[in-house]
């Protein structure tokens, strides 16, 4: 698991503090965490976390520090499209664009943070679709 750093204001004294942040997959869901400790006021550590939708600042810090990853479907010509469609629909992809998303996934793969793709890989594995994920050096 890779960690990144973001700056936030201490809730006690207002100093700018460096916070550690990361994402991980727990129980089939994406969780993000921001952990801040203020050295100015010694106000102790504050922890903030949430599920599914990582805040843009956290996500960008993770992409910058940990890199962009790319998930690819193995042997896409042998993969049935319907189960993949259902997986993508369950992640919130609108019906109107899901076919295009499936084809994009089959041909180019999907980029994102390591944890996002770990979760997508889990969901695709559940419907029998094997994938590989690697650092995307073009991203
Ligand atoms: Zn403080």
């Amino acid at each position: 698991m890779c960690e990144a750093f973001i700056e936030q204001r201490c809730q006690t004294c207002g100093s700018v503090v460096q916070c550690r942040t990361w994402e991980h997959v727990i129980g089939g869901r994406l969780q993000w965490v921001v952990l801040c400790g203020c050295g100015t006021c010694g106000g102790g550590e504050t922890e903030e976390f949430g599920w599914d939708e990582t805040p843009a600042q956290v996500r960008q810090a993770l992409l910058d520090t940990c890199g962009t990853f790319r998930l690819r479907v193995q042997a896409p010509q042998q993969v049935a499209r319907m189960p993949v469609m259902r997986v993508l629909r369950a992640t919130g992809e609108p019906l109107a664009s899901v076919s295009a998303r499936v084809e994009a996934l089959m041909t180019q793969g999907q980029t994102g943070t390591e944890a996002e793709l770990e979760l997508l890989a889990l969901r695709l594995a559940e419907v029998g679709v094997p994938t590989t994920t690697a650092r995307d050096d073009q991203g």
Side-chain angles (χ1 to χ4, degrees):
M1 180 185 68
C2 175
E3 290 178 0
F5 290 87
I6 59 170
E7 288 187 343
Q8 286 197 345
R9 292 257 171 211
C10 171
Q11 285 163 13
T12 307
C13 72
S15 304
V16 174
V17 292
Q18 294 281 329
C19 304
R20 288 163 54 209
T21 184
W22 65 89
E23 289 175 325
H24 50 188
V25 175
I26 297 181
R29 289 180 71 189
L30 182 79
Q31 187 187 50
W32 56 269
V33 181
V34 177
L35 200 62
C36 305
C38 180
T40 304
C41 68
E45 289 205 317
T46 60
E47 188 183 18
E48 194 187 348
F49 67 90
W51 296 93
D52 305 323
E53 284 284 329
T54 302
Q57 183 194 12
V58 169
R59 188 171 186 274
Q60 193 57 53
L62 287 168
L63 290 172
D64 290 346
T65 305
C66 306
T68 301
F69 287 76
R70 185 181 294 269
L71 174 147
R72 287 182 186 281
V73 174
Q74 290 180 19
Q77 66 279 7
Q78 294 163 27
V79 169
R81 289 343 191 218
M82 278 310 290
V84 177
M85 247 179 226
R86 278 199 296 274
V87 166
L88 294 179
R89 285 281 289 147
T91 67
E93 184 69 27
L95 191 59
S97 54
V98 72
S99 292
R101 266 291 305 282
V102 169
E103 285 316 307
L105 178 66
M106 295 297 173
T107 52
Q108 297 142 40
Q110 164 83 38
T111 58
T113 66
E114 189 172 19
E116 284 169 3
L117 298 182
E118 181 186 337
L119 187 59
L120 182 59
L122 271 175
R123 289 177 173 158
L124 289 170
E126 281 170 5
V127 296
V129 177
T131 60
T132 55
T133 299
R135 269 293 287 271
D136 186 31
D137 290 326
Q138 280 78 52

